[in-house]
Amino acid sequence: MTAIADLRYASAMLQWDQETYMPPNGAARRGQQIATLDEQAHAQFTSDETKRLLETLLTDNSLSASQQKNVELCWYDFNKAHKLSAAFVGKLSLCINKSFHAWVAAKNADDFALFEKDLQALIELKQEEAQLKGYVAHPYNALLNDYERGSTVAQLDQLFGGLEPKLKALLQTVQIQQQPSTQFLQQHFPKAAQMSWGNALVEALHYDTQSGRQDISEHPFTINFNAKDVRITTRIDEADFSNMTWSCIHELGHALYEQGLPDEEYGLPLGEAASLSMHESQSRLWENCVGRSLEFWQHYLPMLRQHFPEQFKQVEPLDFYRAINIVQPSLIRTEADELTYHFHVMIRYELEKELISGSLKAKDLPAAWNAAYQQKLGIAVPNHRKGCLQDVHWSHGSFGYFPTYSLGSMYAAQIFQAASKAIGDLPQKIAAGQTQPLLDWLRLNIHRHGRQYGSEELCILATGQPLNPDSFIAYLTDKLTKVYN
Amino acid sequence: MTAIADLRYASAMLQWDQETYMPPNGAARRGQQIATLDEQAHAQFTSDETKRLLETLLTDNSLSASQQKNVELCWYDFNKAHKLSAAFVGKLSLCINKSFHAWVAAKNADDFALFEKDLQALIELKQEEAQLKGYVAHPYNALLNDYERGSTVAQLDQLFGGLEPKLKALLQTVQIQQQPSTQFLQQHFPKAAQMSWGNALVEALHYDTQSGRQDISEHPFTINFNAKDVRITTRIDEADFSNMTWSCIHELGHALYEQGLPDEEYGLPLGEAASLSMHESQSRLWENCVGRSLEFWQHYLPMLRQHFPEQFKQVEPLDFYRAINIVQPSLIRTEADELTYHFHVMIRYELEKELISGSLKAKDLPAAWNAAYQQKLGIAVPNHRKGCLQDVHWSHGSFGYFPTYSLGSMYAAQIFQAASKAIGDLPQKIAAGQTQPLLDWLRLNIHRHGRQYGSEELCILATGQPLNPDSFIAYLTDKLTKVYN
C-alpha cells in the first residue's frame, strides 16, 4: 500500500506544481504524466495481488483492531475501484487535465464555448463511471457516494428541502433590516501586504509551516503529500480583502485536519480524513465559526491593522464583525455569506443531477445556470466568468462534491457547539487569541481518528448526536441577530 | 517508453520540489516516494516485456533511421540497466536521499561526522553497482561509463596527465604578474536585486521562460520534465556577486540545450542530450567563452549597472573583464577561475578512484582532501564546509561525474572556436548583444541531434576534428594574455 500511496502523492505533487509554479508550456506533457501515475496507481491497487493480499488479511485473526479496520476499509475501496479499469482511469485523468486547462482558458476569456466540448466529454465519462460503479435509483448516487459514503439523492433532496424554507425565511428577515456598512472593505489592499497578512494569520492559527507552505494559485486548495507536508494555496485580489482572508482560514482548517492525521498510518485508510464533509466541517469551523466571530476580531483586528494601518484605522471590532457577516444574494459562491452560500450549493446540486442523468447537456448549462440564479437568489448573471465558469470543480470531474460543502457547514456548527460546551469559555479564549484549546479538542475528537469512523458515526461520537441541521439554523439565527441587532 | 519517462520525470519533479519549496518535515517521506518511482521506472524498463519489444524492433526493417537509432540506444540502455535489480535501484535511491539530507546537515554544521556513515554506505553501494555492471581494469570505469560512455581511467589519466603540466606552467606565469583589482566585486549585493538581475540575464540570453523558470536552491542545478519545462536554480550570497551571476549563465547553458532537444522524441534517446560532457560543454561555453568575454561585458555592463547602480558606477568593461578572469588558487570549485578549476576536478577524480577501489574510506576523506589541496593548489583548507563538504555530488552518489566538467570545458573551447569560424564576426556580434546566431549554430550543430551521436562523434561533426585539449589551452592562453596584459 505504501508504494501505491507514493504514486498517488507523486501525482498530487505534479498537480500542485501545475497549479502553482509550472511554466505555461509545461502543461502539454503534464497531463499525460499525471494520467500515467493515476493509471499505474489504480492498476496496482486493483491488481489480483492486492486482492489476494486483502483476502488473506480479512481472515487474519492476529491483526490489531486498527489493522483490521485498515483492511476492512481497503477492501471497501478495492471493490469500488475494481469496477473501473486502469485504462478508464487513465482516460479520465487525461480528460480531466484537458478540461482543467480548457476551463482556465474559458474563464480567462469569459467564453464558455472554449470549455463546452471538454466538459461534455467529461460528463459522459462520469456517466460511464456511474454505470461501471453501479447505483440504485439515480446515476448521480454512484458519484455522490465517492465524496460522501452512503450519500444519496433521496437523502439530499430531503435535507435541502428542509433547509431551503428556513434559509429563505431568515433571508427575508435580514433583507428588510438596515444593512451594516462595508465601506472599509472596499479599499486597495496591496498584494505583498495581503500575502504577509495571510501568512501571519495561518501561522497564528497553528499551521505548522515546518510541515507545509502557502502559495498562490488560480483557485485556492489544500493538498497533502503526507501528514508532514500539507500545503495550502490562496489567491489575491488587490481590490478585495475578504476573499483572501477567509480563503486562507478556510484552507487552514483543511490543513490542520491533514496535519493532525496519524503520520504512522501513511498510505492506509486510518491515515486519511473521515470524509469530505468532515473535511469541510473543519475548514468551515475555522473559517466561519471562529474566523467570522466577534471574539476572533476583538483579538485579531490589531494585528490586521499592523498590515493595513490606513485601511482599518477607524474600524471597531463590532463594525468589522457586522460588515464581514452581511447577508446579501451574490454571484460568487466562494465569496457568499454563510446563509446564501447554501443556495449556491443547491443550484449546483440540482444542475449536477440533470447533467449526470443526461437531461441537461453542457451546451445548455449557461442558460440553466442563469435561470437558477434568477429563481433561487433573484439575481441576474452578467457573464459566464461570474456564472457557470466560476468554479474549478466540474473541470476536475468533481460531480457530487458540492453537497459536501453544505453538509460541512452543518457539521461545523454542531461540532463547534460541542467543542464550546466541552471547553466552557471558548468565546473568551478566542477573544484572548487562545485557539489552541479548540485545536486540541478537534485533534482529540476528530483528527486523530482518520477514517476509523464515517461522518455520521464520528459526529455522534464527537457531539453526542447525529447530524441535526437545527444546530446550523440556530447558529445562523444567533449570529444574524447580533449582526442586524 | 512514454509511461516509463513519465515515472522518471515525476521523480525529477519530486526532487526539484525537495530542493526548492518542500517544507523541512516533508523530507522524511519524500525519499521513499522518490525511491518508489525510481524502482518502478527501473522495473518497467528492465522487464521481460521491454526486452521482447526491443528484440522485435531490433529486427524490424520498416523503421525509419531515427526510429532504428532510438531502438539501438534503448537496447544499449536496457542491457546496462538490466544488470541492476529494481530492488537495488530502490535501495540506492533511498540511500542517496538519506545521504543528501545528511550532507545538507553536515555542511550547515561544518561537521563531517554527520555525513560520514551515509557516505560510506553509499560508496559501498556504488562499489556493488560497479560489480553488478561489470568492468575492465578498474571498478571506477563502470561508473565513469554512466556519465560518459566509453570513458575510462586509462583515458582520463592520460588526458589529465597531459593537461596538468600545461596548466601548471600557465599558472606559474600569471602568478608572477601584477594582479588586476577585484575590489568592486567585494561589495554588498542585495538579494532581490541579484534575483532580478539573474532573471533579466537569462531572459536576455534566450532562456524561454514560457518553458522554464528560475528558483533558489542550496546547490544550483538544471532539471527538465520535458523539452517544454526546463527549470534552473541559483543561489544568492549578498556578499558575492560573481557566484550567482556565472552560476545563472552556467545553468542557462544547460537549459538552452534541454530546451533545444526535439520535443517529439519525449521519453526516447533522441530526445535526450548526447552525454554529460556535451551538456557541460554547453553550460561552460555560455558561462566562460561567452559570459567571461570582454565583448559580452561591453554589452551587458550597462544592464548590470541598472541593477546595481552604486556598485558598478566607476567600472569600465576592461577592468571588469580582468577582475572576473583573475587566476588564483582557491577553495571552492564552483567559484574557481577557468584555469585552476581543473585542479579541483583532478583532486576529486583521484579521490573518487580511491574511494571506489576501496583504498580510501569515507572517514579518511577529509584528511586526503586537505592533503590534495595542499599538494595540487598549495592552499590550506580551513574547514570541511569549504573543503570536502562543498559539493553535492557525492551525496547524490554521482561518482564519476566530475571528469565530465573538464571534458566539458575542453569541448566548449573547441566548439566555440568552430562556431566563431562559422559565424565570422561572433565577437562583434556578442559585443552588440547579438547571441542569437550563436544559439542558432548550437541548435543546428549540437542540440537538435539529441543522442544521435556520442560526444566524440558529435565533436567531429560540429568542429571537424576529435577532442583536442590544445584548443582549450590556446583559448586560455589567449584570454590570460589579455587579462594580464
Side-chain angles (χ1 to χ4, degrees), chain B residues 96-253:
Chain B
I96 284 169
N97 208 276
K98 199 156 164 268
S99 293
F100 170 71
H101 292 292
W103 168 74
V104 171
K107 188 174 175 184
N108 286 338
D110 188 25
D111 183 356
F112 183 76
L114 296 178
F115 181 42
E116 186 205 310
K117 259 174 118 170
D118 288 312
L119 177 61
Q120 184 59 39
L122 188 48
I123 290 166
E124 285 164 21
L125 275 179
K126 296 303 283 187
Q127 289 168 340
E128 190 182 339
E129 184 183 327
Q131 296 301 330
L132 291 167
K133 285 184 165 157
Y135 57 86
V136 177
H138 197 295
Y140 188 47
N141 286 344
L143 306 182
L144 283 172
N145 188 59
D146 264 359
Y147 297 106
E148 191 65 20
R149 188 170 169 177
S151 181
T152 62
V153 164
Q155 194 190 60
L156 289 172
D157 280 352
Q158 198 193 351
L159 183 82
F160 287 136
L163 200 63
E164 194 173 353
K166 290 177 188 162
L167 293 178
K168 275 213 168 129
L170 260 178
L171 179 59
Q172 278 163 0
T173 311
V174 302
Q175 277 189 310
I176 54 167
Q177 310 297 319
Q178 205 198 329
Q179 298 300 315
S181 163
T182 61
Q183 228 175 348
F184 53 82
L185 296 175
Q186 278 113 45
Q187 299 182 73
H188 181 77
F189 299 91
K191 199 171 166 173
Q194 283 204 51
M195 196 69 215
S196 117
W197 154 245
N199 283 332
L201 188 57
V202 298
E203 280 193 56
L205 294 176
H206 322 291
Y207 182 51
D208 177 1
T209 54
Q210 295 292 295
S211 304
R213 48 177 295 121
Q214 180 164 245
D215 297 277
I216 301 285
S217 68
E218 171 69 24
H219 192 95
F221 63 93
T222 303
I223 199 164
N224 60 301
F225 312 113
N226 61 73
K228 302 280 183 208
D229 189 353
V230 180
R231 306 191 191 179
I232 55 180
T233 69
T234 189
R235 66 176 157 208
I236 295 175
D237 175 351
E238 296 203 323
D240 186 349
F241 155 79
S242 307
N243 196 325
M244 193 264 189
T245 297
W246 284 280
S247 147
C248 275
I249 311 180
H250 180 94
E251 301 307 329
L252 163 88

Side-chain angles (χ1 to χ4, degrees), chain A residues 2-7 9-11 13-14 16-17 20-30 32-33 36-37 40 44 208-213 215 225-226 228-231 263-266, chain B residues 2-7 9-11 13-14 16-17 20-30 32-33 36-37 40 44 208-213 215 225-226 228-231 263-266:
Chain A
T2 303
I4 295 168
D6 292 341
L7 288 178
Y9 288 128
S11 169
M13 178 83 249
L14 267 59
W16 173 83
D17 178 71
T20 52
Y21 293 106
M22 188 181 72
N25 294 342
R29 297 274 178 203
R30 182 55 59 89
Q32 158 206 314
Q33 292 169 338
T36 295
L37 292 170
Q40 295 207 2
Q44 288 172 35
D208 177 2
T209 54
Q210 295 293 295
S211 305
R213 50 177 293 120
D215 297 278
F225 313 113
N226 60 73
K228 303 282 184 207
D229 189 353
V230 180
R231 306 191 190 178
D263 182 45
E264 66 279 11
E265 301 280 1
Y266 175 86
Chain B
T2 304
I4 296 168
D6 292 341
L7 288 177
Y9 288 127
S11 169
M13 179 83 248
L14 267 59
W16 173 83
D17 178 70
T20 52
Y21 293 106
M22 187 181 71
N25 294 341
R29 297 275 177 201
R30 181 57 58 90
Q32 158 207 313
Q33 291 169 339
T36 295
L37 293 170
Q40 295 207 2
Q44 288 172 34
D208 177 1
T209 54
Q210 295 292 295
S211 304
R213 48 177 295 121
D215 297 277
F225 312 113
N226 61 73
K228 302 280 183 208
D229 189 353
V230 180
R231 306 191 191 179
D263 182 46
E264 65 280 11
E265 301 280 359
Y266 175 86

